[in-house]
Amino acid sequence: ISAIIIGVGAGMPLTMISDTVEKGVGKTLQGIALLVGLGSMFGGILEVSGGAQRIAETLIGKFGQKKAGWALGLTGLVIGTTVFFEAGVVVLIPLAFSVAKQTKKSTLYYAIPLLSGLASGYAFVPPSAGSVLVANALGVNLGTMIMVGVPTALICMMVSGIFWGSFIGNKIHTELPANVEEIKDDGKDLPPFGLVLGVILIPLVLILLSTLSKYMPLPEGVKDVLGFIGKPFLALTIATLASMYFLGIKRGFTGAQLKKILDHSLRPVGMILLVIASGGVIRWMLQDSGLGNIIGPALEKSGLPLILIAFFIAILVRASVGSSIVAMTMASGIMATMPAVMDTSMLYRAAMCCAICGGATALSHVNDAGFWLVGTFLEIDEKTTLKSWTIMETLIGVTALIVSLVISIFA
């Protein structure tokens, strides 16, 4: 509706408006629809098989209770690249409560690192939907996006999760939720840590090999094969099939059970794709109406660095609309219409992707579903959620902006 209003207000012919809507949906979803669907199925199997729980429990065992925040943050970061944020919270938050119960510390002390890891993994590291969406819009190779996104996500997790989590956890003591006594080990046989980590790394390794093979002294035939299997949709297909076999069939799941898991994991995909498509339609309407050509040069004349402009657009949309996906779509779409942006190097645009994803993560407040999800699970009031979760999300955004500006210096 917003896109149609923009088109009518700009004086576009009605037939052109309808054509732009159809084009916007097609252009936006062509590079993301398969990845969202495959990523959802991959994450669903990881969740139900106990793979996510195994990663968390192993890292907590290695780091110990004193550094459980690091273990939970790293777990969130790894799992956040493959599952939707909501699913990650549901599966992993009981582990944060379990540690808090043993140490008698505030639940925020452990929940914030976990939430930070999940948010950072989702925002910056392919094959997560958000990072892939922005990278596609700005023409960034996903291998490059991974190489830039992983260190960005790690730094953001450290600042907003470990450091902020420790500070706010010591300052505000939040009790365990009332139903935490009901959360107990269900005795499920969890898959081995090495197997789970290996399966999770399949898409990342294949995409990276595809990118790096172009610069390696390999036979052309080998480069072609690595380039083919490193295509994001194929890398995720291979990872999904591997998870179905190694975490599913080989561990006793029947075909009917796997089908049920996959069907359930795909339920939220329709709404997510609809939101992404809607944001894409607005982007193309701005471009086809000519407004993009007005907004772009006007922003360029501001004298601000392009990365800073991208960040401000994303954070403004995020604060006003609440949806991080819409903010990512709008900001990347507007920036993609600027000739000056597309003339920059791949590394610079990858840094810009991180700035956009950071801006689209910051300032989560009452118009964001994640705000209420976190408050409900932790059983904390809105004021405490603003003091803990909102500041954590904003720290992710600001840290990502700083990292992006530093990277851009070398681009």
Side-chain angles (χ1 to χ4, degrees), residues 144-217:
T144 305
M145 187 64 201
I146 290 172
M147 288 187 280
V148 173
V150 168
T152 302
L154 275 169
I155 295 170
C156 289
M157 186 275 291
M158 286 172 55
V159 173
S160 66
I162 306 303
F163 301 146
W164 174 249
S166 176
F167 174 80
I168 197 68
N170 286 321
K171 188 168 184 177
I172 302 176
H173 185 83
T174 53
E175 299 291 343
L176 289 164
N179 67 342
V180 79
E181 297 295 336
E182 301 168 16
I183 301 172
K184 53 182 179 294
D185 186 6
D186 58 8
K188 181 164 65 176
D189 181 29
L190 302 178
F193 175 78
L195 175 63
V196 178
L197 188 61
V199 170
I200 290 174
L201 290 177
I202 286 174
L204 298 177
V205 171
L206 290 178
I207 293 170
L208 276 175
L209 281 176
S210 173
T211 301
L212 296 175
S213 65
K214 299 172 185 176
Y215 309 101
M216 298 167 68

Side-chain angles (χ1 to χ4, degrees), residues 85-106:
F85 178 82
E86 293 82 358
V89 172
V90 171
V91 173
L92 296 174
I93 202 70
L95 295 172
F97 292 154
S98 176
V99 179
K101 186 177 179 181
Q102 294 171 38
T103 61
K104 308 299 183 185
K105 289 189 175 183
S106 169

Side-chain angles (χ1 to χ4, degrees), residues 254-381:
T254 64
Q257 287 174 317
L258 275 178
K259 182 180 182 301
K260 188 176 180 181
I261 293 169
L262 298 178
D263 287 346
H264 184 269
S265 69
L266 288 171
R267 286 179 185 174
V269 168
M271 180 56 70
I272 290 169
L273 291 179
L274 187 60
V275 171
I276 292 172
S278 300
V281 168
I282 294 176
R283 173 255 164 119
W284 283 99
M285 195 66 72
L286 287 171
Q287 182 167 317
D288 288 1
S289 67
L291 290 176
N293 296 329
I294 297 172
I295 296 171
L299 291 173
E300 287 179 38
K301 288 177 183 176
S302 67
L304 294 172
L306 292 172
I307 284 180
L308 203 55
I309 293 171
F311 176 82
F312 283 142
I313 294 172
I315 200 170
L316 284 172
V317 177
R318 164 68 156 173
S320 58
V321 177
S323 169
S324 61
I325 281 286
V326 171
M328 290 177 188
T329 307
M330 288 288 294
S332 59
I334 291 172
M335 297 308 293
T337 63
M338 298 186 192
V341 170
M342 303 316 287
D343 289 340
T344 58
S345 67
M346 181 81 73
L347 181 59
Y348 188 94
R349 278 177 280 137
M352 182 177 290
C353 287
C354 289
I356 289 173
C357 293
T361 301
L363 293 183
S364 166
H365 58 98
V366 293
N367 63 356
D368 175 27
F371 176 91
W372 298 105
L373 177 78
V374 170
T376 300
F377 267 94
L378 296 181
E379 292 187 7
I380 54 179
D381 58 28

Side-chain angles (χ1 to χ4, degrees), residues 99-136:
V99 179
K101 186 177 179 181
Q102 294 171 38
T103 61
K104 308 299 183 185
K105 289 189 175 183
S106 169
T107 54
L108 292 175
Y109 194 91
Y110 302 105
I112 290 296
L114 172 63
L115 296 170
S116 172
L118 285 168
S120 299
Y122 175 79
F124 306 112
V125 186
S128 71
S131 58
V132 171
L133 171 71
V134 177
N136 284 345

Side-chain angles (χ1 to χ4, degrees), residues 348 404-411:
Y348 188 94
S404 300
L405 287 170
V406 171
I407 293 172
S408 69
I409 295 171
F410 303 98

